[in-house]
Each structure stands twice: as C-alpha cells, then as structure tokens.
Amino acid sequence: MSMMATARQVEAPPRLQPQAAPASLEVSDLSLFYGSVPALDAINLSVAQGEFVALLGPSGCGKTSLLRSIAGFVQPQKGAIRLGGRDVAGLPPRRRNIGIMFQSYALFPHMTVMENVLFGLECRGVSAAEARARAEAALKRVSLSAFGDRRPKQLSGGQQQRVALARAIVIEPDLLLLDEPLGALDKQLRLQMQTELKMLQRSLGVTALFVTHDQEEAMTMADRIVVMRDGVIQQVDEPETLFTRPRTAWVSDFVSAGNIVQGALEEADGFYRVEIAPGSVFAAAADGVKAPADAALFVPFHAVSVAPDPASPLEVSAIRLLGLAIELQIAYGAHVIRVQLPSSRVHDFPLGSRVRLGAEAADCRLLPKG
Amino acid sequence: MSAIAAPLATHQPKPAMSRTALLAPLTGFYAVLLLLPYGYMLWLSFVRYSATQFYVPVFTLENYVGVLTDSFYLSLFATTILLGIVVTLATLVMGYPLAMKIVGAKPRTKTLLMVLVLSPLLVNLVVRTYAWLVLLGDNGIINRFLIDLGAISTPLPINRNFVSAMLGLIHISLPLMVLSLVSIMERIDPSLMEAGKSLGAGSFRLLRKVHFPLALPGVGVGSLLVFCTVISAFVTPQLLGGNRFATVGTVIYQKFTFSMNWPLGATLVFVLLAINGAVIALHGYLFRER
Amino acid sequence: MFERGLNIAAWLVVAFLVIPLIVIIGASFTTTEYVAFPPQGFTLKWYEKLATQHDFIRSFFDSLIIGIAATIGAMAIGTPTAIGLRMGSARSQALLRTIAMMPLTLPTIVTGVALLQIYYLTEIDAPWTAVVLGHILVTVPYFVRTLGAGLEAFDPSLVEAAESLGASRWRIIFKIMLPVLAPSIFAGMIFVFITSFDQVTISIFLSGPGMMPLPIRIYSYIEFAIDPMVAAVSTVLILFAFAIVVGLQKLLGLERAFGA
C-alpha cells in the first residue's frame, strides 16, 4: 500500500467538482416550426460559463420550446446549438450531457432516492464505488443525506425537487436546464428554494438556463433575463437594466418596469410630451425613436413625482402597501399611473387627495410600442 | 456565429411502428374469430332448416317470419325482456343504497365492502348459480328449513321458474350495477349535497332531487349492462330454470346442441342482437350530449 | 333517520350478496350426504373426496393449461393493441377502442355459438385450440383495458428524464417503462387468467371429449348429483377469488384494477 493511496484514503469525501473547462451555450438562428406556425423564430443567444439565465415570457412565447430544443427532445428545422464548443444539434438527449429539472420532477417512482440519483451515473458506466460516493455528495449538497432509502412518494414536494436537482447535478453536466421548477411550491418554500438554487448553482459553477413565467422569480435569481414573445427574443439584459431601460412598451408592461403613459404625444423642442391633466406633464427625449405613432412614453414607478394640488382633476384612487414601499394609483381617463414611494410617506397622500404628477425628462424614455 | 442549417431529426423518440402495424394482430384475430363466425351465422339465419342435413342453402325469410310471428317465440321474447326489466329494477333498488354507503364509508369499511362486492365476480357462473340451486330446491335449504319449522307442508314453488331465475340473475348482476353506481357517485361533489341541506332539504328530497339526477349517468350505464347481460344470459337460467323455464339464451343453446336447428338458432341469435342493439341505441339516445 | 334506513338497507344487500356463498362454504363441511345448512357436524371428507376425484383433478389442470395459454395469447395480441390505441386522433381512438372491446359487449352465448358453427363448417377437430382461441377472444379486451389504463397513467417525462440522464433505449424500456407498468401488466394477466378459468359459456360449446374445463365439469356434475363435494370445490374457488381480489387491492388499488 503506497503512501499515495493512504493519503487518498484520509482525504475528505469527494466533492462535486466545479466545471473544469470553459463551456458555454450558443444558440444560432434557431427556428422551430409546428406545421407553419413558428414556435421559435431565428433565436440567437449566447450564455457564458457559469451564468444563470432566465427565459421569461407569457405562455406560448416559446421559452419551453427553446429549452426542449436545447435538451434535444424536439428537433428545430433550422439553426445550430453549440454546447462547450461542440455542435449538439445532431445528438440525441442522452449524449448532450445536460442535466434537466422537470416541472413534474419526473422522479422514477419505483426507485429509491439513492437509485434515482445513481441512475445517470449507471448509464455512464461509472464504477459502483465512485457512483455511490458521488451520489452521496450530491444528496449532501441538497441536504437530503438521510433520505437515500425513501421512495419519491414518501417525500414532500420540496424534498422531491431536491432529489430531482441532485439527480441532475451528480452527472456533472455542461448545462443545467430547469423547466418552471418552483411552480408547484407554496410561496414560503418558493422563496427559500430560489435562494438555495442560486447558491448551489454558484458553488458548482454550472451554466444554468431556467424557464419561468414569474417575473419576480426571474428578477431574483437570474444574472441575465431573456424576455420572449411569440417565438422571438424581445430583450436580453441584466434585471436592473430590464427595469430601468425596457426596450419596448410591451416589455415594460410584462416585467412591470414602469408606467406607459397613455395619450397623444406632442413634439416640443426635441422632446415628446404628454399632458394627462392640466399641470401633469411627462416628457422624454426623442432619441431616434419613430414618433409619435409608434412610440410610447415610459416612466419608472419610482421616478414619478407627486405634489398636492387642489386644482388638479387627478386624485389618488388606490393605495397599495408593498412592504418597504407604498404604491399610489392615480386614475386618468380609463388608465392608471402608479407611483412608488417609501412607506414612511404613507400618510402624505390619502385616498381621494388631489395631486399633480410629473417626472424628470432624464428618467423617462420613449419606447417603441413593441 | 453564422447560421448553419441543421440536418433534420437524427434523434426520433419512440414509436417505431405505425398504428396499423400495432393493431394488425387484433384486426386479424377478430376478422377470423369474430367477423367470420358472425357472418356465417347471419347467412345461416337466411337458409332453410333441414332435418337431415342441418340446412338447405336456399335463401328464405321463413326463419325470421316464423320467429317473429309464432306465439311461442313472442312470449319467449316477452318473458326474457320482462326478466331483464325486473332484474334491472331490482339491482337498481338494491344497489343504490349499497353504492351510497360504499362511497361515503371510511377507507377500511370501503375496502371491505368493495372486496365483498367484487369477489363474486371472480367466481365462475356455475358456482354462483349453484348456491341458489341449493337454496331454492324443493329439498333445498329454504324449503327444508320452513318445513322443519312447520311453517309450510309442501315445498314453495321457488325453483325451475321465473322466480328462481330472477333471484339467481339478481345475484349475478348486482356487483355490475354496484360498480357502475359507485363509479358515478364517486364523482358527485359532496358540497352539492351540503348546499342542499343548508337550503333546508330533507333526506328524501335530497335523494330525489339532487343525488339521483346526478347519479343518472351511472344508473344508465349500470342498467344497460345488467339488462343486456340478463337477456343474453344462458347458464343461470338454464341451471335455475331446469327444462321448464326458458329464455332466449337457453333456447338458443338448445337449438344448437339438441335440436340441431341451426337456421332457427341463428335467427334467434340475431333477434337477440337486435334487441341488445336497440337497448344500446335507446341508452345512447337518452343519454346523448345536449 | 332516513340515513339509518339507508345504512340498514346497504348491509341487507351485502348480506344478500354474501349469504349464498357462506351457505356453500358452510355446507361443504357437513357430515350428511346431502347439502345441509347449517352443516350437521364437521368433516373434511368432501375435500378428501375432491382430492381423489380424478376427473375433477384432470379438469383443474385442463383449466390451468388453457388459462396459461389464454394469458400468453391475450398478452401477445393485447400489448401492441393497447399501445396502438393511444395513437391517432381522439375520435379514431374512441372508435377503435369500441371495436377492440366488442367481445365484451357481444353476448357470450352468441360468440360461443358462432365459434361452434365455424368449427363445424371447417370440420377442424382441435378442441384445445378452439377453446384457447375462444378464451383469448373474450379476454383480450380485459388485458387491453388494464394495460391501457396503465399506459394512460404513465408520466412521459419519466422517459425524457431517463434520456437526458444518458439512458439507452433498452435501458429505458427495461429499467423505467416495464417496472412502472408492471402492476398494470400483472393485473391484466390475472384478469385474463381468472376470466379464462371461470369461462363457462364459450367452453360449453367448444370443449370436447378428453378435455373438460373445471366449470364445465362442475356443471355436468350438478346436473345429476348435488352432493356436498360440489360445495367443497365451490368453496375452494370462492376463497381463491377472494384472495385474488385482496391481492389486486394491495397491488393496484381496486379502482384501477377493475376500471371503475
């Protein structure tokens, strides 16, 4: 028995190694048609190693189709998918080395937790001893070490999800795909899992792509968000950028970034302005956008200034408590302007009080309708 | 990264075979063992009976005419249909409270009841009918009990007639009715009953105006099942009717084994099928999607 | 009060269902030469007689062999059918399913007679084959229905998960699909076997000399003697059925098994 072998036996149990070689995901000109309907229309996307990217959009936008194309369950008609530099478009799912967390968890009901986690390793011909060690490490990472002998139906929803996660990461995938993984959990568990998932992904350094329709979730977890609509990518940006600089009015509406002020835009000195009521004016620089027909005026919630004005026809129609902030809603015509203020100001503008609204032109932007 | 047209699907998930290929074994099997025999029988019903050579291949309608005008056969159909109606009603009346109980029972009791109801279904018809033979015979358990008790001096006429066949058939069909009823009652939303109670309905009104209408589809399916089973039955009426009580089923049996009158037997077969078909159509009409 | 009445009615109906069977079981132990209930005395002599009754033993094995053959046949035909019935439009599926279930909806006596006639016509003298084929005909729908229910309940994302983890097609079939479908397959097999074992109507027309399935043997025995030995064999069959139902309950849950 050599010294080396003894030394190895004394080492700590093997951990899952963070990704070694730089791998990234590149999707080029990907198009998927069901009949003549395009589910994906010339999608281009680049994800860096270790990034956590969210695919966000309403149902039918193509986010799930994109995920399944990358996974290999559906074959796009056009375009390329490169994973870690290699072209995977022609490969069946089992050769792509991608870990997947399904919405329904898809745990094998007739196998124990441990057998579920071992499955991917068995398929790869990993030796029983090494497989066992790696599986135990994975279960430890998701805090389920003691549950190895249980069956999926004996576990709670949150626990089942962790098993699904362990099973996906134990194979040391080049990419982790998550399909609305937190949908079935109650709010408390959801928030907790968001943090845990993010931390796990960070510590593993694995590239992750996850699908959600919940904009808050995407904001919390993702390094970058891909907003999709009808098979087309609308915007890819970090969460803050999405919030402060949505590319179109639709995106702004979808992520609830701010107000889209309704009303006819008038040109004045290189600015476009809307007056929703005497004294309440919003303006933004033209900035190259084709105005006025195709444009909409965007004002972030926190950028709206409110001042009491007994002469104004606008009044506070609703107040929402949002924890640390409050939101005032002021109706004009058939529309609503929403204003966010620190909650300390909750008594400044009671229901029904008359106010005048405005905003710094620098905070506002002209957006294409989109 | 320039766009490259990817080759189409090198990875195709599952079905390697077409539906036609998958259904071929069944199709072939049914064609030979169902289509062919029934077709042959249909043909048989239109040929003439011959005492010497089973049949003479002459096209004739005399079988159908005979069967549909002869008073013997007409009363045979009437008796059989009456048997069907009586047994169906009896199983409905008996099965309904049992089904209600099963649906409302605690898991333990529910399982026990279901096991008791379903086990007879796995016992063969002969044994299930034999029980009634033993109970209803002149020297059977019921009669001997009553005679020993001194309640009667001669055996009750409860064998080899309509009554014995009816009792046996009720016993055979009851599980089928209960299953159909349980199936539909499980789907009745309990809050509907609670709403009825909160509005002041008494138990009987609740049953009549809320529960029964909601259970109607199951009542329909169960009744259809039981009725068709009863009018087509042969083993039970044969054993419990002896040679004195006849139904369409027992006469068909007789025609093909003893009197060897195949054309007539075949005719009866198709009249029976027609009655079955009419009842199924009636059920379809009554329970059509509105 | 009404509910009380309903409760009593329910138990009375249960009694109606169960008492005749209890009577048989009880009568099988009587010392008398005729069927008596309550049984007079207690003896196992009728069971002893049954154990030495050659024609009954012979029939038991006949039924066993036919049952096994029918099960194999029903599985061979039923498996591709159950898979195929899940393909195509909903409308076509409904229609094909109705056709597949036809042996169940057609009166057994008609099917039995029809088969008999074909054998007369073709003058084929192969009673074993005839009976087995007849049994397969009336049991295939049960297997198709049970397996179909299992396939319906099968979560397709299990296969996708296995694929993504690297499983080959064979591994998916043997390690994922078969184990998960096993209860349905097993229940289907049991249904087919029991239905064949219990089959009377078809067997009556198709069985011949030298081959008499158990129910037919009992039938002919009843026609000229009602001694407690029939009660004994009946008891064995009743208890057997009871055990199977309990087994199905444990394996699959009764709703799934009986397609309720």
Side-chain angles (χ1 to χ4, degrees):
Chain A
M1 189 97 58
S2 74
M3 287 275 273
M4 289 254 284
T6 327
R8 192 167 32 227
Q9 279 156 23
V10 166
E11 254 174 47
R15 271 176 244 144
L16 288 177
Q17 301 302 318
Q19 293 301 312
S24 65
L25 172 68
E26 262 201 75
V27 176
S28 320
D29 201 31
L30 202 71
S31 293
L32 176 69
F33 292 89
Y34 288 121
S36 54
V37 178
L40 294 173
D41 199 350
I43 300 285
N44 284 287
L45 181 64
S46 217
V47 181
Q49 171 61 33
E51 252 199 302
F52 197 138
V53 170
L55 300 180
L56 177 68
S59 32
C61 69
K63 54 194 195 293
T64 305
S65 297
L66 182 55
L67 200 83
R68 290 173 66 82
S69 298
I70 296 171
F73 297 130
V74 71
Q75 202 60 18
Q77 280 81 1
K78 230 169 60 120
I81 302 173
R82 299 184 89 82
L83 195 54
R86 47 174 199 137
D87 184 354
V88 298
L91 294 178
R94 70 170 182 279
R95 300 246 289 273
R96 299 194 184 196
N97 199 30
I98 296 180
I100 307 184
M101 259 196 76
F102 291 82
Q103 196 168 3
S104 66
Y105 312 141
L107 296 180
F108 306 129
H110 58 292
M111 298 184 187
T112 63
V113 164
M114 177 57 77
E115 286 166 347
N116 264 279
V117 177
L118 286 171
F119 187 80
L121 299 174
E122 282 167 2
C123 294
R124 284 162 171 73
V126 172
S127 78
E130 187 191 337
R132 183 109 205 165
R134 280 166 70 170
E136 280 171 1
L139 283 175
K140 187 147 186 237
R141 273 209 190 243
V142 297
S143 313
L144 283 181
S145 296
F147 289 75
D149 288 326
R150 304 258 182 111
R151 297 214 169 222
K153 66 173 178 230
Q154 296 170 293
L155 304 176
S156 71
Q159 290 167 336
Q160 286 181 14
Q161 197 195 45
R162 288 169 205 239
V163 177
L165 192 54
R167 185 176 70 177
I169 62 177
V170 79
I171 57 173
E172 287 167 19
D174 297 324
L175 177 66
L176 193 59
L177 297 178
L178 305 111
D179 188 0
E180 308 233 30
L182 306 181
L185 304 177
D186 64 67
K187 185 111 193 238
Q188 192 91 309
L189 205 48
R190 244 185 129 145
L191 295 175
Q192 186 190 336
M193 279 308 293
Q194 280 172 10
T195 324
E196 288 190 28
L197 211 54
K198 180 78 193 210
M199 278 169 46
L200 185 62
Q201 182 261 343
R202 267 270 144 76
S203 72
L204 285 175
V206 66
T207 314
L209 201 63
F210 92 110
V211 162
T212 180
H213 60 273
D214 183 331
Q215 150 253 352
E216 268 178 47
E217 186 164 273
M219 296 294 185
T220 313
M221 298 172 71
D223 296 325
R224 274 193 306 153
I225 301 179
V226 177
V227 182
M228 291 179 71
R229 183 193 188 196
D230 293 334
V232 178
I233 292 182
Q234 301 292 313
Q235 187 170 357
V236 183
D237 260 321
E238 281 135 47
E240 290 156 43
T241 319
L242 209 58
F243 245 132
T244 53
R245 291 207 283 276
R247 216 174 51 82
T248 69
W250 183 88
V251 173
S252 156
D253 258 343
F254 186 75
V255 302
S256 292
N259 294 291
I260 298 292
V261 183
Q262 306 289 339
L265 289 167
E266 298 160 354
E267 213 241 323
D269 302 325
F271 282 82
Y272 282 88
R273 59 198 293 279
V274 177
E275 187 167 358
I276 61 173
S280 297
V281 177
F282 295 95
D287 216 8
V289 177
K290 279 199 284 286
D294 290 338
L297 197 93
F298 165 76
V299 185
F301 298 129
H302 60 274
V304 181
S305 65
V306 202
D309 183 359
S312 168
L314 299 175
E315 53 180 58
V316 177
S317 50
I319 303 180
R320 268 176 61 194
L321 299 166
L322 302 172
L324 291 174
I326 57 167
E327 178 180 280
L328 302 180
Q329 294 182 6
I330 291 100
Y332 64 106
H335 311 288
V336 164
I337 292 267
R338 284 148 67 177
V339 187
Q340 277 183 11
L341 299 171
S343 55
S344 52
R345 302 192 63 188
V346 66
H347 298 297
D348 291 358
F349 301 98
L351 266 184
S353 57
R354 297 199 175 257
V355 293
R356 190 178 63 237
L357 301 174
E360 296 283 328
D363 289 330
C364 303
R365 305 167 56 72
L366 223 46
L367 299 178
K369 290 243 171 85
Chain B
M1 198 47 109
S2 58
I4 314 160
L8 215 55
T10 45
H11 165 71
Q12 277 296 355
K14 292 148 308 177
M17 297 179 83
S18 71
R19 178 165 72 174
T20 324
L22 287 169
L23 294 180
L26 189 80
T27 318
F29 193 70
Y30 280 12
V32 171
L33 285 178
L34 218 48
L35 210 56
L36 209 60
Y38 274 76
Y40 176 56
M41 288 260 289
L42 187 61
W43 180 83
L44 268 182
S45 70
F46 288 110
V47 298
R48 175 166 300 149
Y49 166 64
S50 150
T52 48
Q53 44 180 136
F54 297 130
Y55 62 86
V56 176
V58 170
F59 180 85
T60 170
L61 292 174
E62 63 196 25
N63 298 311
Y64 283 98
V65 169
V67 153
L68 294 172
T69 55
D70 187 320
S71 62
F72 169 74
Y73 289 109
L74 289 176
S75 77
L76 182 70
F77 296 136
T79 310
T80 311
I81 292 177
L82 181 65
L83 191 61
I85 294 176
V86 168
V87 171
T88 304
L89 285 176
T91 53
L92 188 57
V93 167
M94 294 170 75
Y96 206 90
L98 180 52
M100 286 182 79
K101 172 136 193 82
I102 289 178
V103 170
K106 289 176 301 221
R108 267 255 168 87
T109 322
K110 191 179 209 171
T111 312
L112 174 66
L113 287 173
M114 285 295 272
V115 167
L116 287 177
V117 167
L118 291 174
S119 296
L121 281 177
L122 298 192
V123 179
N124 72 58
L125 277 179
V126 176
V127 168
R128 289 160 82 187
T129 311
Y130 168 67
W132 289 95
L133 216 56
V134 151
L135 280 172
L136 300 175
D138 283 340
N139 239 355
I141 294 182
I142 292 183
N143 273 319
R144 189 169 304 132
F145 177 71
L146 292 175
I147 287 181
D148 287 348
L149 217 57
I152 53 174
S153 53
T154 54
L156 292 173
I158 48 174
N159 57 69
R160 288 179 287 167
N161 58 14
F162 188 94
V163 173
S164 59
M166 179 194 76
L167 287 172
L169 285 167
I170 292 177
H171 194 246
I172 304 283
S173 321
L174 202 46
L176 297 176
M177 177 63 86
V178 170
L179 262 185
S180 299
L181 292 176
V182 166
S183 176
I184 194 76
M185 287 184 188
E186 289 274 0
R187 280 169 238 214
I188 294 180
D189 182 356
S191 58
L192 289 172
M193 298 291 286
E194 288 170 1
K197 280 190 201 158
S198 72
L199 289 165
S203 296
F204 193 61
R205 184 186 294 266
L206 216 53
L207 184 68
R208 194 164 54 92
K209 293 226 146 188
V210 181
H211 199 265
F212 189 76
L214 288 172
L216 214 46
V219 170
V221 169
S223 303
L224 180 67
L225 206 53
V226 170
F227 186 80
C228 289
T229 305
V230 170
I231 60 171
S232 315
F234 143 64
V235 177
T236 307
Q238 176 74 28
L239 276 175
L240 290 174
N243 288 314
R244 286 211 257 128
F245 176 73
T247 66
V248 174
T250 63
V251 173
I252 290 177
Y253 171 68
Q254 206 205 48
K255 293 288 175 221
F256 278 101
T257 51
F258 297 123
S259 44
M260 288 309 212
N261 186 345
W262 301 354
L264 198 57
T267 312
L268 285 173
V269 158
F270 282 95
V271 173
L272 178 62
L273 281 178
I275 300 178
N276 270 294
V279 175
I280 293 175
L282 179 66
H283 174 264
Y285 174 73
L286 289 175
F287 286 89
R288 66 189 178 280
E289 296 277 307
R290 289 154 212 269
Chain C
M1 201 235 84
F2 184 70
E3 318 223 315
R4 261 290 223 50
L6 230 47
N7 202 34
I8 296 176
W11 285 109
L12 282 177
V13 173
V14 174
F16 175 82
L17 268 178
V18 165
I19 285 179
L21 300 177
I22 305 257
V23 164
I24 300 231
I25 297 178
S28 69
F29 297 113
T30 185
T31 50
T32 56
E33 293 302 306
Y34 54 86
V35 173
F37 189 84
Q40 297 178 16
F42 182 91
T43 173
L44 290 175
K45 74 177 180 195
W46 299 112
Y47 291 90
E48 285 163 12
K49 182 171 180 207
L50 181 63
T52 57
Q53 196 85 354
H54 288 298
D55 47 0
F56 270 81
I57 308 237
R58 190 66 206 289
S59 284
F60 171 75
F61 282 108
D62 287 352
S63 286
L64 198 65
I65 295 174
I66 294 170
I68 293 174
T71 306
I72 295 174
M75 285 176 78
I77 298 183
T79 306
T81 308
I83 298 174
L85 280 179
R86 294 176 53 71
M87 299 164 69
S89 75
R91 243 194 178 168
S92 64
Q93 278 186 34
L95 179 63
L96 289 171
R97 196 160 279 141
T98 312
I99 296 179
M101 295 292 138
M102 283 213 83
L104 288 186
T105 53
L106 294 168
T108 337
I109 183 173
V110 173
T111 310
V113 164
L115 287 175
L116 176 67
Q117 293 310 106
I118 280 293
Y119 287 114
Y120 272 155
L121 182 70
T122 55
E123 290 178 6
I124 294 179
D125 182 28
W128 284 92
T129 317
V131 169
V132 170
L133 288 179
H135 282 206
I136 295 176
L137 184 64
V138 297
T139 56
V140 135
Y142 286 115
F143 191 78
V144 170
R145 192 168 66 182
T146 319
L147 181 57
L151 289 173
E152 182 75 36
F154 185 85
D155 180 3
S157 59
L158 290 180
V159 172
E160 289 183 348
E163 280 183 325
S164 72
L165 288 167
S168 65
R169 189 176 281 183
W170 287 119
R171 190 187 286 265
I172 292 180
I173 292 180
F174 283 103
K175 289 253 164 172
I176 306 291
M177 294 184 77
L178 282 185
V180 172
L181 288 170
S184 299
I185 296 175
F186 196 55
M189 285 169 70
I190 291 184
F191 260 115
V192 169
F193 182 82
I194 275 277
T195 308
S196 159
F197 199 83
D198 282 349
Q199 187 50 238
V200 181
T201 320
I202 300 277
S203 303
I204 268 194
F205 289 106
L206 299 181
S207 56
M211 183 259 290
M212 202 181 250
L214 192 56
I216 314 296
R217 177 76 61 190
I218 302 176
Y219 184 99
S220 62
Y221 201 83
I222 287 179
E223 296 213 295
F224 64 91
I226 307 194
D227 74 11
M229 194 188 80
V230 182
V233 68
S234 302
T235 305
V236 171
L237 293 176
I238 292 172
L239 293 179
F240 199 57
F242 194 76
I244 294 199
V245 172
V246 171
L248 278 177
Q249 148 70 8
K250 293 255 152 56
L251 188 66
L252 206 58
L254 288 177
E255 277 108 41
R256 273 250 291 231
F258 283 81

